[in-house]
């Protein structure tokens, strides 16, 4: 007797794809740049200082830097970074590297949630495509590998997308993920972004694709979970420090837009559109391809992506701060759209993406290898001269382990790009592999060179090495002291991290004074200059050690 088996019940066709390759690529992409370097500007020194303050007993709900409230990083990030530092430092990693594990964790959560949403919305294999597209977006690199709170925002956005994808099948989990994402956004990006996504979730009810009972229940559960959770942070802050709560409410409650007393807007759309070209490539051209191939309004995920993009674009358009990392708000829906028709990408378009990636990343990799030989062996001479110009504090250093890592990445990439029958998914995989190759080479071959240019440690060591032996002894014995202005936050932070001198804040009795000012600035009356320095090519930030005139 013949029976009919519905398509949903049929066994999936066999596939030659290997999921472990995606895991290997994601692992290779996540870890370079986490280890063996100092704190880099602009955010890492302050964020790590906030983590240390928390470990030393500062308030849990209020990140502080030099005893001042610091609202530029989520307390959730500080908690996780402090936990990793406590667990891993110093036996498994140095304190800086251990704290960066928080960025790795939140980025991995975001990738997993976005990939899982792609699987739920688009079907088997497409979750991997979403993750590969995100790994290929260069805008995600810095927030994944540097200390900073944007990785928490990415994780929260991924949770929201995954919550939407679960609404049709698993209501309770969908409500928890969606509501949890909103709550995490409220404490990491201000109240306006989650409010916009909440309104977008309600707006979906107007479309027939989202008018089903399970979604109604999901929304009820998500709001019931999110709203009390979103009140936890302001309530705890008010109870522990009413003055800090007032500062947060008046100036930081709405994230980039300020607070109740400093709310402001501006027209920033041209800035964000320009930076989107590189930040979200190849997500945005693939999303456009999908939009030209099908009617998004007929797909549940298409309606969601359009509404999400509209809500986030409105916020970016009127954002008073032009901060490129805010473009991460657009990445989850763009990656979802980009993966939807990836297998239907025309062979010519796939070949172009593949060819462009091979040329761009291949030439960049060759340049990095040439730069490595130039800065360590002096050849090519012209390139060696430029490398010294941009990082004069660098001392040639060849470490066998980074060399082995760099050498291993290059042939793996060559193997990936020489595969035949390149289609859309293979082209995106090769693109992500190219991004991983270049990032890995930069964070192995170039890491000491970059560290010497971007870290304040060489400047601090240079100043302390220039001190006369007698003055060093007097400072060590407490017979003399160095004062620093309370407002010189960078100087106080970096000397606390890298220096051996104990600076005194606003101590007029000290015969020496460390000032933070551009190199070459005028010296105040009654003082004369002992030393001045700055990070290479930095014309706006410098330091000077002054001695009181007798």
């Amino acid at each position: 007797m013949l029976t009919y088996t519905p398509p949903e019940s049929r066994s999936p066709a066999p596939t030659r794809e290997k999921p472990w390759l995606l895991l290997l690529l994601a692992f290779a992409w996540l870890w370079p740049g986490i280890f063996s370097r100092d704190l880099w500007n602009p955010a890492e020194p302050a964020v790590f200082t906030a983590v240390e303050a928390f470990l030393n007993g500062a308030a849990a709900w209020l990140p502080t830097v030099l005893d001042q409230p610091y609202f530029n990083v989520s307390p959730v990030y500080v908690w996780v970074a402090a936990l990793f530092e406590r667990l891993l430092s110093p036996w498994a990693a140095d304190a800086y590297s251990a704290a960066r594990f928080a960025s790795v964790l939140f980025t991995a959560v975001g990738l997993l949630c976005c990939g899982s949403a792609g699987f739920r919305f688009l079907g088997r294999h497409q979750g991997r495509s979403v993750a590969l597209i995100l790994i290929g977006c260069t805008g995600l690199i810095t927030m994944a590998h540097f200390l900073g709170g944007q990785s928490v925002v990415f994780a929260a956005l991924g949770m929201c997308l995954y919550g939407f994808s679960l609404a049709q099948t698993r209501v309770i989990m969908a409500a928890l993920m969606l509501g949890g994402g909103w709550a995490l956004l409220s404490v990491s990006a201000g109240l306006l972004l989650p409010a916009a996504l909440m309104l977008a979730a309600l707006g979906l009810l107007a479309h027939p694709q989202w008018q089903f009972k399970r979604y109604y229940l999901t929304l009820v559960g998500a709001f019931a979970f999110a709203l009390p959770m979103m009140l936890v942070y302001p309530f705890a802050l008010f109870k522990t420090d009413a003055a800090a709560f007032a500062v947060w409410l008046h100036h930081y409650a709405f994230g980039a837009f300020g607070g109740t007393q400093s709310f402001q807007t501006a027209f920033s759309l041209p800035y964000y559109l320009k930076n989107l070209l590189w930040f979200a490539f190849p997500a945005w051209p693939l999303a456009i391809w999908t939009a030209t191939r099908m009617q998004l309004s007929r797909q549940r995920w298409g309606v969601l992506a359009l509404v999400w993009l509209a809500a986030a674009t409105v916020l970016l358009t009127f954002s008073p701060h032009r901060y490129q990392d805010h473009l991460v708000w657009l990445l989850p829906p763009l990656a979802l759209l980009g993966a939807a028709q990836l297998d239907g990408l025309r062979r010519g378009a796939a070949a172009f993406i593949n060819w462009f990636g091979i040329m761009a990343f291949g030439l960049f990799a060759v340049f990095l290898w040439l730069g490595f030989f130039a800065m360590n062996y002096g050849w090519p001479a012209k390139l060696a001269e430029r490398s010294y110009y941009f990082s004069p504090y660098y001392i040639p250093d060849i470490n066998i382990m980074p060399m082995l890592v760099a050498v291993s990445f290059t042939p793996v990439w060559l193997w990936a790009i020489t595969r035949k029958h390149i289609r859309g998914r293979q082209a995106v995989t090769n693109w992500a592999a190219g991004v991983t190759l270049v990032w890995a080479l930069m964070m192995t071959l170039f890491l000491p060179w970059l560290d010497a240019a971007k870290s304040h440690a060489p400047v601090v060591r240079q100043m302390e090495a220039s001190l006369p032996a007698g003055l060093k002894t007097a400072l060590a014995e407490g017979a003399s002291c160095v004062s620093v202005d309370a407002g010189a936050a960078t100087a106080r932070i970096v000397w606390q991290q890298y220096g051996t001198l104990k600076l005194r804040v606003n101590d007029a009795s000290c015969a020496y004074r460390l000032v933070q000012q551009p190199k070459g600035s005028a010296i105040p009356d009654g003082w004369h200059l002992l030393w001045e320095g700055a990070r290479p090519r930095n014309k706006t930030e410098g330091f000077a050690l002054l001695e009181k005139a007798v």
Side-chain angles (χ1 to χ4, degrees):
M1 180 179 176
L2 296 177
T3 59
Y4 171 73
T5 303
E8 300 81 16
S9 304
R10 293 173 185 169
S11 300
T15 177
R16 295 181 180 179
E17 295 193 19
K18 302 175 178 63
W20 61 268
L21 288 177
L22 171 61
L23 296 176
L24 183 62
L25 179 61
F27 184 86
W29 177 80
L30 277 170
W31 291 110
I34 298 297
F35 301 97
S36 304
R37 64 178 179 86
D38 293 325
L39 304 172
W40 290 358
N41 268 9
E44 283 200 319
V47 173
F48 185 78
T49 302
V51 173
E52 279 197 326
F54 173 67
L55 286 173
N56 293 328
W61 296 99
L62 180 64
T64 57
V65 174
L66 303 177
D67 299 323
Q68 297 297 316
Y70 185 70
F71 292 104
N72 293 331
V73 65
S74 167
V76 176
Y77 185 90
V78 172
W79 301 338
V80 176
L83 176 63
F84 277 118
E85 186 178 343
R86 182 65 59 85
L87 292 176
L88 301 177
S89 176
W91 67 274
D94 61 84
Y96 302 156
S97 302
R100 292 189 191 103
F101 275 52
S103 296
V104 174
L105 174 64
F106 286 116
T107 304
V109 169
L111 289 174
L112 178 61
C113 288
C114 289
S116 299
F119 171 78
R120 290 278 178 176
F121 274 132
L122 305 175
R124 192 162 57 98
H125 309 315
Q126 302 307 324
R128 301 176 213 167
S129 299
V130 172
L132 286 169
I133 291 171
L134 289 170
I135 290 174
C137 292
T138 54
L140 199 58
I141 289 178
T142 55
M143 66 185 70
H145 299 90
F146 293 178
L147 287 171
Q150 287 300 311
S151 59
V152 186
V153 176
F154 177 62
L157 293 171
M159 291 171 61
C160 292
L161 188 65
Y162 187 40
F164 281 117
S165 71
L166 291 170
Q168 194 174 12
T169 56
R170 302 176 62 186
V171 172
I172 295 178
M173 181 60 71
L176 292 177
M177 294 299 294
L178 187 56
W182 291 339
L184 189 56
L185 278 177
S186 71
V187 77
S188 58
L191 298 176
L192 207 56
L193 179 58
L197 292 183
M198 287 176 169
L199 290 176
L202 292 173
L204 291 175
L205 294 172
H207 197 279
Q209 288 287 347
W210 288 90
Q211 293 173 357
F212 55 94
K213 182 179 179 180
R214 287 179 177 267
Y215 182 60
Y216 302 151
L217 295 175
T218 296
L219 281 188
V220 172
F223 276 95
F225 180 63
L227 293 178
M229 291 292 292
M230 292 171 68
L231 294 175
V232 169
Y233 173 69
F235 180 77
L237 187 59
F238 175 75
K239 284 297 184 181
T240 55
D241 193 333
F245 169 78
V247 173
W248 171 82
L249 181 64
H250 296 158
H251 302 286
Y252 297 96
F254 301 124
F257 292 83
T260 56
Q261 292 186 2
S262 60
F263 189 86
Q264 53 185 329
T265 60
F267 185 69
S268 301
L269 184 60
Y271 168 84
Y272 285 111
L273 288 178
K274 178 182 67 176
N275 283 277
L276 185 69
L277 297 178
W278 67 266
F279 189 98
F281 192 91
W284 65 264
L286 293 174
I288 292 176
W289 165 255
T290 297
T292 61
R293 292 275 294 177
M294 58 193 313
Q295 288 188 336
L296 298 179
S297 61
R298 294 185 177 181
Q299 304 293 332
R300 184 173 295 127
W301 52 265
V303 176
L304 169 64
L306 291 176
V307 172
W308 184 317
L309 288 173
T313 301
V314 169
L315 291 183
L316 292 175
T317 299
F318 296 104
S319 174
H321 297 291
R322 298 182 174 184
Y323 185 39
Q324 62 193 26
D325 280 358
H326 286 163
L327 287 167
V328 74
W329 303 350
L330 303 176
L331 279 187
L334 284 178
L336 183 67
L337 289 175
Q341 285 293 305
L342 191 58
D343 291 336
L345 191 65
R346 291 176 181 172
R347 181 169 295 182
F352 173 77
I353 293 176
N354 191 55
W355 172 84
F356 183 71
I358 290 173
M359 295 300 296
F361 297 124
L363 290 175
F364 206 162
V366 170
F367 172 77
L368 291 174
W369 277 107
L370 284 176
F372 171 77
F373 284 103
M375 65 190 182
N376 288 290
Y377 298 105
W379 180 89
K382 188 65 176 178
L383 196 55
E385 178 184 335
R386 299 306 294 173
S387 70
Y388 176 79
Y389 173 78
F390 285 106
S391 187
Y393 300 142
Y394 171 68
I395 300 174
D397 177 28
I398 300 177
N399 192 313
I400 188 63
M401 284 306 297
M403 281 290 295
L404 290 176
V405 173
V407 169
S408 65
F409 267 92
T410 304
V412 171
W413 177 74
L414 290 173
W415 167 80
I417 66 174
T418 53
R419 293 178 298 168
K420 298 180 179 179
H421 308 298
I422 296 298
R423 295 285 185 175
R425 196 177 308 161
Q426 289 78 19
V428 169
T429 302
N430 288 351
W431 181 275
V435 171
T436 304
L437 168 71
V438 169
W439 178 249
L441 291 181
M442 288 181 63
M443 293 296 107
T444 51
L445 302 179
F446 267 60
L447 185 60
W449 183 87
L450 288 168
D451 209 28
K454 297 181 71 64
S455 169
H456 287 92
V459 180
V460 175
R461 288 193 289 265
Q462 184 188 72
M463 189 277 273
E464 295 194 353
S466 69
L467 298 177
L471 177 56
K472 290 182 182 179
T473 303
L475 292 172
E477 295 176 351
S480 188
C481 62
V482 179
S483 176
V484 63
D485 290 340
T490 301
R492 294 175 62 190
I493 290 173
V494 300
W495 257 265
Q496 174 181 310
Q497 293 297 326
Y498 308 120
T500 59
L501 299 178
K502 300 299 182 183
L503 304 179
R504 299 186 183 179
V505 180
N506 291 341
D507 191 338
S509 66
C510 291
Y512 300 91
R513 180 181 171 192
L514 180 66
V515 296
Q516 182 176 318
Q517 62 185 25
K519 194 174 180 180
S521 299
I523 306 303
D525 294 337
W527 298 83
H528 66 263
L529 181 68
L530 286 183
W531 167 91
E532 67 174 350
R535 288 186 301 120
R537 316 277 73 81
N538 194 320
K539 298 180 181 180
T540 60
E541 176 194 84
F543 309 95
L545 182 65
L546 310 179
E547 182 181 20
K548 188 179 295 185
V550 179

